[in-house]
Amino acid sequence: LKSKPRIISLGRVPAPAVVAAFFGIAPGALVFGLTRVHDLDGRPLSVVRSYLPARLAAGLDRSAWRQPMHDLLRERRNVRLHRSVHTLRVARAMADVAAMLGIALADPVLRIQASTYVADGSPIRWTENFFREDRYEYIAEMQWPAPRVRTSKATTR
């Protein structure tokens, strides 16, 4: 979409319970947290909150976090993402998300939570995306192969 990310916050933060469960660590253990707002045409489109193991953030300056996360992990940390699971739902904007998106408290947003793993199955990134419902449309196209022709074996007696 050619959106431009603005970094709102970054640094070591206590892991929320759901993030701790994903990483298999104690709630409140330190992880790296990053919150960005993506602007499109000079207006907020989405808020993205990401959590990573703290070791992956060491030595990276603030400007590095403006690039797409998968590029940053691959190019600077040699981390190859393997699989992610995305859960989409309509949610109500919490106070901080509403303020960043410039919408009213409890306005509808599209919430996409993504859990990302490396090839050995280890969790590497937990992300929540909140999109303004009036500025974002999700389109999915599915294609199915042609059905196989079944052949039956007739037997005669």
Side-chain angles (χ1 to χ4, degrees):
L1 286 174
K2 306 286 186 213
S3 63
K4 297 195 184 306
R6 280 187 287 128
I7 297 172
I8 304 301
S9 65
L10 68 121
R12 290 177 181 240
V13 297
V18 66
V19 172
F22 172 70
F23 284 117
I25 59 177
L30 293 180
V31 294
F32 179 76
L34 171 66
T35 300
R36 298 186 292 189
V37 172
H38 288 259
D39 293 323
L40 184 64
D41 301 325
R43 297 184 359 226
L45 171 68
S46 67
V47 171
V48 182
R49 283 195 185 118
S50 298
Y51 298 92
L52 302 157
R55 65 181 161 71
L56 292 176
L60 294 175
D61 64 14
R62 187 178 185 93
S63 65
W65 297 101
R66 286 194 179 91
Q67 67 180 301
M69 185 80 63
H70 56 278
D71 291 346
L72 176 68
L73 293 174
R74 184 182 66 246
E75 294 167 9
R76 302 291 277 290
R77 294 296 184 249
N78 199 31
V79 172
R80 304 281 189 249
L81 305 180
H82 180 71
R83 177 177 74 93
S84 65
V85 178
H86 296 241
T87 303
L88 288 72
R89 70 178 173 91
V90 174
R92 299 280 179 206
M94 301 167 285
D96 61 335
V97 170
M100 288 184 268
L101 289 177
I103 60 176
L105 179 66
D107 270 2
V109 291
L110 175 62
R111 177 189 177 266
I112 303 175
Q113 190 279 312
S115 301
T116 306
Y117 306 85
V118 293
D120 70 2
S122 300
I124 198 72
R125 183 178 73 189
W126 192 94
T127 304
E128 269 185 310
N129 299 275
F130 299 93
F131 291 89
R132 286 181 59 128
E133 62 84 23
D134 62 336
R135 302 208 58 221
Y136 186 80
E137 180 176 63
Y138 179 81
I139 299 171
E141 178 179 330
M142 311 299 180
Q143 295 184 10
W144 290 270
R148 293 186 307 187
V149 176
R150 290 187 177 188
T151 58
S152 60
K153 294 184 180 182
T155 57
T156 57
R157 294 192 188 241

